[in-house]
Amino acid sequence: MVRSGQGLPQDLPDRDVSWDQPAPELQPGPRPNAAGLALPRLKALVAALGEPPFRAGQIYHGLYRMRWTSWAQFSNLSKALRARLEAEVALDWPLIRESAHSEDGSTKHAFLLADGALVEGVHMPYGKRTTLCLSSQVGCAMGCTFCATGLMGIKRNLTAGEIAGQVVTMLNEHGHGPDEAVNLVFMGMGEPLHNLDNLMEAFALLSDPAGLGISPKRVTLSTSGLVSGIQRLGALKPRPRLALSLNATTDEYRSRIMPVNRVWNLDALAAALAAFPLETGERITLEYVLLQGVTDSLEDGKRLAAFAQRFPSKVNLIPFNPHEGSGFEPPTEARIVELCGLLSAKGITVSVRRSRGQDVAGACGQLVRERRS
Ligand code: SF4
């Protein structure tokens, strides 16, 4: 199975991909769910209950500023209203079904959703700074062949509440205060640009100073290269920062491991990124997974540099995190050092990102996949 030194793998399956269709949405339950509703929707909810409009603001404050998870905690509401909400309105944040703690301090959580689906989020403390890795979909339509989530296919989009709820649940679980700075990265399960509407609804809740209060500059969305989504995102303001999961430097190989490249090749992708409107000082992050004997040659390094120089960017080299059945191996340390030197010499900012939680099924989709199998 190991393809070290074999060049292009010949036996990767053609996965069924369907990103050009909207992903299914969660079917509403018998009771409305307040968790994840924006203020206008909360106003409509309280109006339907015959309550005055200011109640919506109180509920919004409790949900997103206080991160309360049960109606009993809403001390800013009357006892009678709390009892009524308990009976008539759900407050379903994602629940932690299982957690795996890594020796490096990160914790991977499998979240149980209202319909029984499972998605993953990772809490990664780095000194004083914490990063939360979030999922955007149940499964994924993009079919990247190196990815455990890609094996599942697309099940459905996460709702705005399920996206923001991963943050609420992890911040509560790990005891973060309301004004602690955290970074959010959409690098978990799913292609975030395939669920952009719900993601932007969640982004508004996450970045609202009266809500979760996370700076938009601390939120990064990573795409596999869905150019139509990149163009849509570029027209929005405020918006998350953009990262691209690049992983290959030739169309031939990228089309094999990331089927989206068959529609938008590297040239089309670079053109879309060059046209993406950036703020002063903002750069697009290029994530490049190093697979031994497959994507880690010095020629790859030169092509990667040429791609990165077409727009303001920085490069994250990610040594592959092996998982059962992947068929790939991580690069040698010597090759990582050589590639860093090559990119730096061409004036490119480069960093090496070690996958956190390698000892706890760290790559996206692995915990859920192991749980399901
Ligand atoms: S790498 Fe990302 S975009 Fe590709 S299949 Fe996995 S989750 Fe989807």
Side-chain angles (χ1 to χ4, degrees):
M1 289 296 287
V2 175
R3 297 186 172 86
S4 173
Q6 294 175 356
L8 292 181
Q10 298 301 313
D11 56 348
L12 292 175
D14 256 354
R15 291 192 186 164
D16 199 14
V17 290
S18 52
W19 64 77
D20 53 342
Q21 303 292 327
E25 300 286 345
L26 175 69
Q27 293 307 308
R31 294 189 303 163
N33 182 14
L37 295 187
L39 194 55
R41 292 189 200 225
L42 286 174
K43 282 183 179 162
L45 183 71
V46 298
L49 293 171
E51 293 288 332
F54 71 88
R55 296 282 182 221
Q58 292 175 313
I59 294 173
Y60 187 92
H61 177 79
L63 287 172
Y64 307 115
R65 194 69 196 150
M66 305 308 292
R67 306 193 315 244
W68 287 332
T69 56
S70 74
W71 290 121
Q73 291 175 288
F74 280 68
S75 50
N76 56 353
L77 303 177
S78 70
K79 233 176 170 181
L81 180 54
R82 276 185 265 163
R84 191 163 173 216
L85 288 165
E86 187 70 50
E88 297 179 34
V89 181
L91 208 177
D92 288 335
W93 290 119
L95 295 174
I96 293 177
R97 168 78 179 273
E98 185 178 329
S99 299
H101 304 280
S102 167
E103 284 172 5
D104 65 15
S106 61
T107 306
K108 176 169 270 205
H109 298 292
F111 293 108
L112 178 66
L113 307 179
D115 63 347
L118 291 169
V119 292
E120 292 176 359
V122 190
H123 178 269
M124 296 174 284
Y126 297 93
K128 288 184 184 162
R129 196 175 44 124
T130 293
T131 297
L132 306 181
C133 178
L134 307 171
S135 293
S136 55
Q137 295 180 307
V138 182
C140 185
M142 307 309 289
C144 305
T145 53
F146 52 82
C147 170
T149 304
L151 280 174
M152 296 167 59
I154 182 70
K155 307 295 180 214
R156 67 171 174 85
N157 281 332
L158 294 189
T159 65
E162 290 168 335
I163 295 169
Q166 294 168 71
V167 178
V168 169
T169 302
M170 280 196 271
L171 292 179
N172 285 343
E173 174 73 11
H174 293 273
H176 290 277
D179 291 313
E180 263 182 67
V182 293
N183 297 321
L184 306 181
V185 292
F186 286 93
M187 294 182 186
M189 300 170 72
E191 162 56 65
L193 293 179
H194 193 210
N195 186 17
L196 188 55
D197 291 340
N198 293 348
L199 187 130
M200 290 306 293
E201 218 174 299
F203 176 72
L205 300 173
L206 293 165
S207 59
D208 180 1
L212 283 146
I214 297 166
S215 163
K217 290 182 178 170
R218 292 185 174 273
V219 184
T220 301
L221 171 167
S222 174
T223 179
S224 59
L226 197 58
V227 165
S228 55
I230 292 171
Q231 290 163 340
R232 274 191 70 202
L233 181 70
L236 302 175
K237 212 172 174 181
R239 56 160 174 77
R241 301 275 164 132
L242 184 62
L244 169 72
S245 184
L246 181 63
N247 301 328
T249 61
T250 65
D251 281 320
E252 186 188 11
Y253 185 62
R254 194 165 198 271
S255 292
R256 289 190 62 79
I257 61 168
M258 303 184 75
V260 67
N261 198 73
R262 297 171 200 166
V263 178
W264 292 286
N265 65 14
L266 286 167
D267 203 41
L269 195 47
L273 295 175
F276 191 78
L278 297 173
E279 290 174 13
T280 310
E282 185 183 358
R283 289 183 288 177
I284 294 168
T285 303
L286 299 178
E287 297 151 1
Y288 188 84
V289 175
L290 294 168
L291 307 173
Q292 188 184 126
V294 181
T295 62
D296 69 343
S297 72
L298 296 181
E299 285 309 307
D300 279 313
K302 289 176 197 162
R303 286 189 292 262
L304 175 56
F307 187 88
Q309 284 169 326
R310 290 180 66 175
F311 45 86
S313 68
K314 54 186 172 181
V315 171
N316 259 338
L317 296 177
I318 308 167
F320 180 64
N321 177 15
H323 58 86
E324 202 184 325
S326 71
F328 298 111
E329 288 282 296
T332 63
E333 286 300 316
R335 180 47 56 93
I336 295 171
V337 171
E338 273 181 296
L339 288 170
C340 282
L342 187 156
L343 290 161
S344 300
K346 290 184 182 288
I348 294 162
T349 304
V350 56
S351 58
V352 179
R353 197 179 79 216
R354 309 280 167 181
S355 284
R356 309 268 334 232
Q358 292 208 4
D359 50 330
V360 292
C364 97
Q366 274 179 251
L367 185 64
V368 164
R369 202 171 149 227
E370 288 175 8
R371 173 95 210 161
R372 288 156 59 99
S373 55

